[in-house]
Amino acid sequence: MNSPQIDLRAIIKQEGLRYTQQREAVWLELQSSDSHRDAENIYFALRQKSINISRATVYRTIEILVKNNLVRKLDLGDGKNRYESKWGLTHHDHLICTKCGRIEEFFHEGIEEMQKEIAAQYNFTLTNHVHQLIGLCENCRADEA
Amino acid sequence: MNSPQIDLRAIIKQEGLRYTQQREAVWLELQSSDSHRDAENIYFALRQKSINISRATVYRTIEILVKNNLVRKLDLGDGKNRYESKWGLTHHDHLICTKCGRIEEFFHEGIEEMQKEIAAQYNFTLTNHVHQLIGLCENCRADEA
DNA sequence: AATTAGGTGAGATTCAATATCAATAAGGTT
DNA sequence: AACCTTATTGATATTGAATCTCACCTAATT
Ligand SMILES: [Mn+2]
Ligand SMILES: [Mn+2]
Ligand SMILES: [Zn+2]
Ligand SMILES: [Zn+2]
């Protein structure tokens, strides 16, 4: 939507990489909405905007963004990875409707703490976690009746 | 290990399906260990035991077992589904070591309850959840030093 | 402008999982 | 026990997300 609030160019260069049109385009596209999009979606969105890019480059660029903590990779269980920009967002986990695909975001401080306790109990060093609540959203539950 | 403690034949027939050697073999194989195995692993284990079966049938049979709540399907994030027999096991979630693949099981009543509360807050009908703590196990953390 | 090494894109490749369909076997009938 | 019907199986092809290959391109420095 607006100009990038993060100096991607600086981050890219700091990594010893080149700041290309494609890399900027993928980053801007990911920032342009707060939804959970797959690589194909990013690819088509860019082509629609007459931006020349290949699938391979979309995947490669996303990987760079993920490694630099600018983008989060999600496995929502439907066989393809989803991505969301981390810019301006705090950590959260997801509620997923299996019928319509609706995704809600939640955060629960208590659960976050308990995860740390559990990891400590098992002598695990926690680096990440996956927590998804699967079910039917309000609308879809009504449809079931 | 021992003979089946569940009357798979009855369950299969109740579904209007036929009780075949292959279906019995997959079920027995899944019961024979408490590990989290992928389809390929089941397939080779059976062939090793000179049981004639194809990959397709392994996949198809597992799906039947999953649908009948005898087996749990897990996505541990490595690109292939894992399966564990539900027989004799209570619900639990997993700690996963990203280095050695070690899997520990945990259960936390408090977290289970909080999940229900969160779902209620968002008007979701909870049918399932995915909860994995990702990190390094005791051994692998030591290796990092 | 010339140089050069990293980046890109079209297409091939991988790999788990599923689909196809002729051959087979489960299980009820006679 | 031989027979029939039809679900099931297995060899193979196919799908689809993701990655790899490598000739060509371009960002960035001189
Ligand atoms: Mn999110
Ligand atoms: Mn388990
Ligand atoms: Zn829904
Ligand atoms: Zn480990």
Side-chain angles (χ1 to χ4, degrees):
Chain A
M1 311 244 109
N2 4 28
S3 58
Q5 303 97 327
I6 281 190
D7 192 354
L8 180 63
R9 171 172 248 126
I11 295 172
I12 289 284
K13 299 219 115 180
Q14 192 174 349
E15 291 282 300
L17 304 173
R18 292 181 182 172
Y19 191 65
T20 66
Q21 302 182 336
Q22 289 84 350
R23 285 171 180 169
E24 181 180 52
V26 170
W27 171 236
L28 291 178
E29 185 58 37
L30 270 162
Q31 277 186 296
S32 73
S33 96
D34 58 354
S35 51
H36 306 82
R37 310 166 70 184
D38 59 33
E40 199 70 0
N41 181 290
I42 302 289
Y43 171 67
F44 279 121
L46 292 175
R47 307 228 79 171
Q48 204 99 41
K49 296 174 183 171
S50 304
I51 293 171
N52 267 348
I53 196 165
S54 65
R55 282 184 176 80
T57 296
V58 169
Y59 279 106
R60 285 184 291 228
T61 302
I62 289 175
E63 221 43 55
I64 293 172
L65 297 173
V66 168
K67 276 183 189 139
N68 286 84
N69 248 313
L70 299 174
V71 166
R72 181 176 178 194
K73 183 192 284 201
L74 299 169
D75 179 350
L76 267 37
D78 65 344
K80 48 192 165 184
N81 290 317
R82 309 255 165 186
Y83 306 93
E84 65 178 350
S85 167
K86 279 186 157 183
W87 181 242
L89 293 187
T90 56
H91 171 70
H92 60 265
D93 292 296
H94 299 94
L95 286 140
I96 304 163
C97 176
T98 50
K99 193 165 181 194
C100 71
R102 180 172 160 191
I103 298 174
E104 295 288 332
E105 306 185 330
F106 74 89
F107 175 78
H108 193 296
E109 185 62 46
I111 292 181
E112 297 292 327
E113 284 308 314
M114 290 176 186
Q115 292 181 128
K116 291 176 191 165
E117 287 170 22
I118 294 166
Q121 264 175 45
Y122 286 84
N123 283 309
F124 264 65
T125 303
L126 215 53
T127 57
N128 196 7
H129 67 257
V130 176
H131 197 186
Q132 297 163 359
L133 306 188
I134 320 287
L136 288 177
C137 74
E138 195 166 11
N139 299 336
C140 294
R141 179 182 14 169
D143 294 350
E144 296 292 284
Chain B
M1 310 244 106
N2 1 30
S3 57
Q5 304 97 326
I6 280 191
D7 191 354
L8 181 62
R9 172 173 248 126
I11 295 173
I12 289 284
K13 300 218 115 182
Q14 192 174 351
E15 291 283 299
L17 304 172
R18 292 179 183 176
Y19 191 65
T20 66
Q21 300 183 338
Q22 289 86 349
R23 286 171 179 168
E24 181 179 54
V26 169
W27 171 236
L28 290 178
E29 184 59 36
L30 269 162
Q31 277 186 297
S32 74
S33 96
D34 58 354
S35 51
H36 306 81
R37 311 166 70 185
D38 60 34
E40 199 70 0
N41 181 291
I42 303 289
Y43 171 67
F44 279 121
L46 292 175
R47 307 229 81 173
Q48 204 98 41
K49 295 174 185 171
S50 302
I51 294 171
N52 266 350
I53 196 166
S54 66
R55 283 185 177 80
T57 296
V58 170
Y59 279 107
R60 286 185 290 228
T61 302
I62 289 175
E63 220 45 52
I64 293 172
L65 297 173
V66 168
K67 277 183 189 139
N68 286 84
N69 249 315
L70 299 173
V71 166
R72 180 176 178 196
K73 182 192 286 202
L74 299 169
D75 178 351
L76 267 38
D78 66 344
K80 48 192 165 183
N81 289 317
R82 310 255 164 186
Y83 306 93
E84 64 178 350
S85 168
K86 279 185 156 185
W87 182 241
L89 292 186
T90 56
H91 171 70
H92 59 266
D93 293 295
H94 299 94
L95 286 141
I96 304 165
C97 176
T98 50
K99 193 166 184 191
C100 72
R102 179 170 160 194
I103 298 174
E104 294 289 332
E105 306 184 331
F106 75 89
F107 175 78
H108 192 295
E109 184 62 45
I111 292 181
E112 298 290 328
E113 284 308 315
M114 289 175 188
Q115 292 181 129
K116 290 176 192 166
E117 287 171 23
I118 294 166
Q121 264 174 46
Y122 286 84
N123 283 308
F124 263 66
T125 303
L126 216 54
T127 57
N128 194 9
H129 66 257
V130 177
H131 198 186
Q132 297 164 357
L133 306 186
I134 320 289
L136 287 177
C137 75
E138 196 166 13
N139 299 336
C140 294
R141 180 182 13 172
D143 295 348
E144 296 291 285

